[in-house]
Amino acid sequence: MTEKYEVIVVGGRTAGLSAALVLGRARRHTLVVDAGEPRNAPSAHGYGRAPRSTATC
């Protein structure tokens, strides 16, 4: 059986899944294509905090 899609979303990260959700709610036949590889590997630096800003409030 051949499937027909109106929209193909490439990438299942935040933006791709958000787009697919909105399209699904709009009753569009949507396919999400993702490699399945997580991209949230630990960073050598960063420590989970916002960078210092040079601007003063």
Side-chain angles (χ1 to χ4, degrees), residues 1-5 29 31:
M1 182 162 92
T2 303
E3 300 281 336
K4 292 186 179 182
Y5 298 100
H29 294 115
L31 173 68

Side-chain angles (χ1 to χ4, degrees), residues 35-54:
E37 298 287 326
R39 296 184 184 200
N40 59 347
S43 174
H45 303 286
Y47 310 107
R49 59 182 167 188
R52 270 191 203 165
S53 175
T54 57

Side-chain angles (χ1 to χ4, degrees), residues 6-7 11 13 18-19 22 30-31 35 38 42-43 49-50 53:
E6 296 176 274
V7 181
R13 296 187 70 192
S18 178
V22 170
T30 307
L31 173 68
S43 174
R49 59 182 167 188
S53 175

